[in-house]
Amino acid sequence: MDTFVIAEAGANHNRNFNQALKLIDVAKESGANAVKFQTYSSETLYSKNTPDFAGYKNINKLIKDIELPREWQKDLKQYCDEIGIEFMSTPFDEQAVDELVDLGVKRLKIAGFESTDWRFVDIVASTGLPLIISLGIGFKEEHLDIINSITQNYNNDVTLLHCNNAYPTPISDINLNTIPYLIKKTNCKVGLSDHTKSTLTPALAVAAGATTIEKHYTLSRHLPGPDHPFALEPDQLKEMVDEIIMAEIMMGGIKGEYSQSEVNFIKARRSIVAKSNIKVGDILTIDNITTKRPYLEGNIPASEWYNILGKKSSKNYKPDAFI
């Protein structure tokens, strides 16, 4: 699989270490390349004066109840290393950035809501690590120039993820045509951070040119917590990865005269054949020649029709004889 697939565990560990390990196992079993958590603290993420919004009440308590215990990170990364899947976590404050760099992560992710916080983007970019940046809510085209300027200062390898920050995202709002648009407008790799409930959306994104896919998943949509209801369950995550692989195979390359699978069907093409008796020296016209299957080696293929008309016959032919 060429696509880099990030299984987004996020906060779906529910502050249960064994549940976090099980999430890592599910990501590995699905065929994902990386499993990603989120490193934040309620005190540094939201002001204590935050009002209720989008159906969330007492957001500070909500975040406190689901934040990842930071002392887990070393053990989670070690477990990922042991079973052969990349450990990632999205940092949401300066301390988180430093912690993840010290852990030796290979890349850092900037979340969609943080992608227009140029102070924070600059902090994350200053690590020099490869960056994956979700272009989330409020993102404008002119912001691409700012991202380009910041990341060039630190020589970052940058992947931009098209993203809709509604949880879940209605399929009518996913706008996958943004992916080829971003590919055309930037020199960055482009992918998708997907919050639809569909397993098919990522495969369609890959067909549109996405090279990285990020998708939330859970052990069960019935678990308590804000991110479980829109996340994929284990069998769906595996199905999503399989569909991405199929999309890659289906896109293939540029088809030539025929594909390998068509070799046995070459004879089903048409040849030029005699329509009536033809004598040596007769002019070949639409009255005495036509086209019929099959095409056999040595015959004149039907594709030469316009080159044959008007030529003199070099031999005698009976009806249905190959020219």
Side-chain angles (χ1 to χ4, degrees), residues 62-226:
L62 172 66
I63 296 301
K64 177 58 70 176
D65 289 345
I66 63 174
E67 63 187 31
L68 179 80
R70 299 195 183 198
E71 61 272 18
W72 288 5
Q73 293 182 128
K74 182 178 180 181
D75 292 333
L76 293 178
K77 183 180 184 301
Q78 182 177 341
Y79 185 66
C80 287
D81 292 343
E82 289 173 358
I83 69 170
I85 188 169
E86 183 177 333
F87 170 84
M88 294 178 62
S89 188
T90 301
F92 288 84
D93 55 53
E94 295 90 328
Q95 180 182 338
V97 174
D98 292 339
E99 289 172 352
L100 293 170
V101 171
D102 289 344
L103 276 177
V105 295
K106 295 181 180 179
R107 69 198 86 227
L108 290 171
K109 163 74 191 299
I110 298 175
F113 291 121
E114 277 63 45
S115 64
T116 54
D117 179 351
W118 308 124
R119 176 196 69 88
F120 190 65
V121 172
D122 188 78
I123 289 170
V124 180
S126 70
T127 65
L129 288 174
L131 299 184
I132 299 174
I133 306 174
S134 284
L135 307 184
I137 190 168
F139 195 87
K140 301 177 182 178
E141 185 176 315
E142 53 264 35
H143 292 161
L144 292 172
D145 292 333
I146 302 176
I147 285 180
N148 185 58
S149 176
I150 292 174
T151 56
Q152 279 191 349
N153 286 339
Y154 303 107
N155 196 31
N156 300 108
D157 174 359
V158 181
T159 299
L160 303 176
L161 302 186
H162 168 52
C163 178
N164 182 299
N165 282 125
Y167 301 86
T169 298
I171 59 171
S172 57
D173 282 349
I174 192 61
N175 294 317
L176 291 180
N177 279 328
T178 306
I179 292 171
Y181 177 78
L182 287 171
I183 292 171
K184 184 178 179 180
K185 293 289 292 186
T186 73
N187 294 320
C188 299
K189 291 168 284 188
V190 176
L192 174 70
S193 178
D194 180 33
H195 301 127
T196 70
K197 291 183 176 181
S198 171
T199 64
L200 180 60
T201 308
L204 295 175
V206 168
T211 60
T212 296
I213 296 293
E214 177 185 78
K215 186 82 168 181
H216 283 261
Y217 73 108
T218 177
L219 300 183
S220 170
R221 283 180 171 167
H222 299 293
L223 287 168

Side-chain angles (χ1 to χ4, degrees), residues 271-273 294-301 322-323:
S271 297
I272 296 176
V273 299
Y295 168 74
L296 302 175
E297 188 174 352
N299 296 346
I300 299 176
F322 297 110
I323 303 298

Side-chain angles (χ1 to χ4, degrees), residues 232-293:
L232 298 184
E233 294 188 323
D235 58 336
Q236 294 175 305
L237 185 66
K238 178 65 168 64
E239 180 181 326
M240 182 199 82
V241 173
D242 289 344
E243 288 171 347
I244 288 172
I245 293 171
M246 284 193 289
E248 290 181 347
I249 294 170
M250 289 176 183
M251 293 307 291
I254 305 300
K255 187 178 182 293
E257 186 177 359
Y258 51 82
S259 65
Q260 188 60 40
S261 59
E262 291 175 311
V263 170
N264 291 333
F265 296 91
I266 290 175
K267 291 182 176 63
R269 293 186 297 171
R270 291 185 173 218
S271 297
I272 296 176
V273 299
K275 190 175 183 180
S276 59
N277 287 315
I278 299 173
K279 297 180 180 179
V280 174
D282 283 354
I283 302 298
L284 301 179
T285 70
I286 59 174
D287 295 321
N288 58 15
I289 60 172
T290 188
T291 58
K292 289 186 180 182
R293 297 180 182 181

